[in-house]
Amino acid sequence: MAGLRIFVYAVIAIMLLPVLITFPVALTATSRISFPPTGLSLRWFDSILTDQVLLQSIARSFWLALTVAVLSIAIALPCAFAIQRGRVGYRNVLETLITSPRMIPQIVLVLALLVYFEPIRLAQKFAGLVIAHLVITIPFAFRTLLVSVATLDRRLEASSDVLGATPLQTFRLIVLPQLKTGMIASFIFTFILSFNNVTLALFLSGIGQRTLPVEMFTRMNVAGMTPVIPAISFVLSVLGVMLFVVLDRTIGVYRFLAARE
Amino acid sequence: MPRLGPQAISLALLVPILLLLILFFLFPLAYLLHLSALAQQPTLQNPFPRLSFVNYVKILQDYFYLSMSLNSVLVGLSTTFFTVAIAYPVAFYITRINGWERTLISVACLLPIFVNVIVSILGWYILLLPFGIIQQALAGLGIVSGPLQLLRTFPALVAVLVYEHLPFAVLILVSSLQAIPADKINAARVLGASVPRIVFSLIIPLTMPGLVACVILVFSLSASSYLAPILIGGQRTPVLPLAIFSYGTELQNWPLAAALSFVLLVLVVAVSFVFSSAMNHIAKRGQWEFV
């Protein structure tokens, strides 16, 4: 067990290192990316707020992820109810179809969408990007929500019905509160999935319409990268870790992330 | 909703998801397959080029594309091997602890899911830079002297891909390790089984389904990954996704890009199939004592 412990902590150190390294590198006073940094200043954290292109890409990513998260739940929740409660035939076929976008490599899926969108003029549009993201986030939202719907206590609904509540009242007062945890979990998870996605947006976002990850990718790959990229990276990591800790201490990350079967 | 009763309501609830998946998942993939079998790119003058397998023939005859496919498989296999080898002990440790230590280890191991992949690739890029931290550390220990080529190498690419996919492996393995009933392990211990024997003839066979799922997922994700190969591997380790991207966007040769996509898809499916049937075969022959 002691040997295992040392191994695990070594792995953890390696897992944290690439993310933590962005902080000292962003503190440099020059515009070169190097470690140890030359001089100390917060100017690159400041310049996040003055870089208009970067700010616009942050806003675009935020709205995209929000739209995708809301729509994923709006589409996946009724579907989870129908599959769990309604006596639809071919339940296995339906479940396989709904979760199958996960099996297709994203680069193949996005190429298919690009060539399909081009003639119908959805290729470099926000709507096209939303649709592409929905295809990959819905399997995750569906899985999480299906588990929540399956664990609903039906006796409560029966009691509410007997006591004279209308179906709508029962849904709002009895069913929704029980689904709250699952809905929050799938909202946060689809939001993160969409906000962090690079491959889909790389093919589908138009010039001057880049999402934040694509903007970062482009600056790393093509144009000269200034330390503003490590700075925004560090900010994103801190936000990500905070969200994670909150999720794990409230809902339990393994419970909903591993909600596979 | 007390009674969802009639099938009609259920079907109505399924309409949005079915529309989305048929229109924007099945149709595009079918169209891509069709496109891959076209002799040339459809244009306004020639919207329906003749069908042929010229793209596939081109790929199978060209040494460049063949070595690219081989590279993809090699990158995928090495990544899968190291990811599982690291994730299994970590997942085992996670199931034995709780409280804040569990949260800390989970945060660290699942970080790449919550933090953008670009961020972690950037971190590795900084670490691997010539005269970067890894080189300074190695030079400090007296292992190397002089400049060291780390970026644009195969080991660096595999390291970054292992980093990126470790969380998925840990998640699957934690949930399958947690499903092992504690009394089985206790029974083995009471009956005097040694620790290696408990691990190899009890724990590993019991987590086999999770292990297979994990290998298939990590292989398919890493063999089709685009970002790490372009930013860390570069053109020194050409893999299929690099060609798919450049033919799909910059060069606009969609039929060839489509054919390359299906080659990638077939490779991923073939390796997954071979692996899972090999595992089934071993299981049926009873080389492991299934409990």
Side-chain angles (χ1 to χ4, degrees):
Chain A
M1 205 62 185
L4 180 62
R5 195 188 196 118
I6 294 168
F7 175 77
V8 171
Y9 279 91
V11 170
I12 286 176
I14 296 173
M15 293 307 285
L16 293 177
L17 194 60
V19 173
L20 294 180
I21 198 73
T22 55
F23 183 60
V25 169
L27 285 178
T28 182
T30 63
S31 52
R32 268 189 64 235
I33 305 253
S34 64
F35 185 89
T38 326
L40 279 181
S41 86
L42 286 173
R43 62 179 273 220
W44 294 108
F45 285 94
D46 265 347
S47 66
I48 295 175
L49 300 173
T50 50
D51 190 330
Q52 284 307 318
V53 178
L54 203 61
L55 285 179
Q56 277 166 14
S57 70
I58 294 173
R60 194 170 297 113
S61 279
F62 177 80
W63 289 116
L64 176 66
L66 194 69
T67 317
V68 168
V70 170
L71 285 179
S72 297
I73 293 182
I75 295 173
L77 186 63
C79 168
F81 263 102
I83 287 198
Q84 187 64 36
R85 296 264 170 108
R87 291 190 179 74
V88 278
Y90 308 109
R91 179 179 164 156
N92 284 334
V93 179
L94 276 173
E95 276 191 49
T96 311
L97 172 67
I98 294 167
T99 50
S100 59
R102 291 200 307 197
M103 320 286 177
I104 305 293
Q106 274 189 20
I107 189 138
V108 176
L109 181 65
V110 72
L111 180 72
L113 284 171
L114 176 73
V115 297
Y116 184 75
F117 279 166
E118 200 77 40
I120 54 174
R121 297 182 193 290
L122 267 175
Q124 293 171 354
K125 299 279 163 49
F126 189 76
L129 208 48
V130 170
I131 291 171
H133 277 215
L134 280 177
V135 172
I136 60 152
T137 56
I138 276 183
F140 290 93
F142 171 72
R143 270 275 158 231
T144 317
L145 292 171
L146 192 68
V147 173
S148 300
V149 172
T151 52
L152 282 176
D153 189 345
R154 300 191 72 165
R155 285 169 305 178
L156 293 176
E157 291 162 56
S159 321
S160 159
D161 196 25
V162 168
L163 292 170
T166 63
L168 202 65
Q169 279 176 322
T170 307
F171 185 74
R172 197 165 54 86
L173 298 171
I174 308 294
V175 177
L176 269 188
Q178 294 184 74
L179 291 177
K180 204 170 70 187
T181 316
M183 282 170 70
I184 294 174
S186 66
F187 179 86
I188 294 178
F189 197 47
T190 48
F191 185 92
I192 292 173
L193 216 57
S194 165
F195 192 89
N196 283 346
N197 187 284
V198 194
T199 312
L200 297 183
L202 201 57
F203 280 72
L204 293 173
S205 54
I207 301 154
Q209 298 284 315
R210 295 188 186 120
T211 61
L212 176 62
V214 175
E215 182 65 33
M216 291 166 71
F217 170 83
T218 314
R219 291 194 194 186
M220 271 179 79
N221 193 32
V222 188
M225 170 171 57
T226 56
V228 75
I229 297 300
I232 184 81
S233 293
F234 185 72
V235 174
L236 284 179
S237 321
V238 170
L239 292 176
V241 169
M242 274 162 43
L243 205 57
F244 182 96
V245 174
V246 169
L247 261 186
D248 193 45
R249 302 307 287 185
T250 51
I251 306 169
V253 168
Y254 293 98
R255 243 192 59 207
F256 83 87
L257 277 190
R260 294 170 60 81
E261 302 315 320
Chain B
M1 272 183 265
R3 274 178 299 273
L4 264 175
Q7 270 195 331
I9 297 181
S10 308
L11 287 179
L13 292 176
L14 287 172
V15 165
I17 206 161
L18 289 179
L19 271 182
L20 182 86
L21 290 176
I22 291 169
L23 282 180
F24 299 113
F25 177 62
L26 297 181
F27 279 8
L29 283 178
Y31 180 61
L32 193 69
L33 186 60
H34 169 73
L35 202 61
S36 77
L38 291 184
Q40 66 201 61
Q41 180 111 337
T43 53
L44 280 178
Q45 292 80 30
N46 181 14
F48 303 106
R50 71 193 163 82
L51 289 172
S52 85
F53 287 104
V54 60
N55 297 305
Y56 290 100
V57 172
K58 197 171 175 183
I59 294 170
L60 292 175
Q61 280 180 342
D62 195 328
Y63 174 75
F64 179 67
Y65 295 118
L66 286 182
S67 72
M68 211 173 220
S69 314
L70 185 68
N71 260 336
S72 285
V73 173
L74 279 180
V75 166
L77 288 179
S78 339
T79 306
T80 311
F81 175 77
F82 287 109
T83 308
V84 173
I86 295 171
Y88 204 92
V90 172
F92 183 78
Y93 188 77
I94 289 177
T95 58
R96 306 285 127 169
I97 51 170
N98 44 44
W100 277 101
E101 193 187 8
R102 192 181 159 111
T103 301
L104 170 76
I105 295 178
S106 308
V107 167
C109 292
L110 305 183
L111 206 58
I113 291 187
F114 284 78
V115 173
N116 200 309
V117 40
I118 288 289
V119 173
S120 42
I121 291 178
L122 171 69
W124 276 100
Y125 181 85
I126 295 169
L127 291 174
L128 294 166
L129 275 176
F131 302 104
I133 294 141
I134 292 181
Q135 182 174 352
Q136 287 171 28
L138 291 178
L141 292 169
I143 299 171
V144 294
S145 58
L148 187 64
Q149 173 75 33
L150 288 168
L151 275 175
R152 317 276 176 249
T153 61
F154 184 83
L157 173 61
V158 171
V160 176
L161 286 172
V162 169
Y163 180 89
E164 216 179 284
H165 298 112
L166 194 75
F168 302 102
V170 167
L171 275 174
I172 295 178
L173 292 174
V174 163
S175 68
S176 90
L177 279 164
Q178 260 169 348
I180 297 180
D183 50 351
K184 284 213 167 106
I185 293 178
N186 288 336
R189 200 171 283 151
V190 166
L191 293 170
S194 61
V195 174
R197 190 164 153 79
I198 293 182
V199 170
F200 287 104
S201 59
L202 187 70
I203 297 179
I204 290 184
L206 279 175
T207 51
M208 212 57 213
L211 218 53
V212 171
C214 179
V215 165
I216 290 176
L217 181 72
V218 173
F219 180 80
S220 67
L221 288 177
S222 56
S224 62
S225 164
Y226 169 73
L227 295 166
I230 184 101
L231 293 172
I232 301 288
Q235 297 302 335
R236 288 277 187 87
T237 30
V239 286
L240 284 173
L242 296 184
I244 295 175
F245 181 80
S246 58
Y247 283 116
T249 60
E250 294 149 8
L251 304 171
Q252 296 264 325
N253 183 349
W254 287 344
L256 188 58
L260 286 166
S261 300
F262 281 98
V263 169
L264 176 67
L265 203 58
V266 166
L267 283 178
V268 167
V269 171
V271 170
S272 309
F273 180 76
V274 166
F275 181 77
S276 62
S277 48
M279 285 298 125
N280 270 332
H281 188 65
I282 294 173
K284 278 205 191 94
R285 271 170 54 200
Q287 284 196 342
W288 278 311
E289 304 159 35
F290 274 79
V291 186

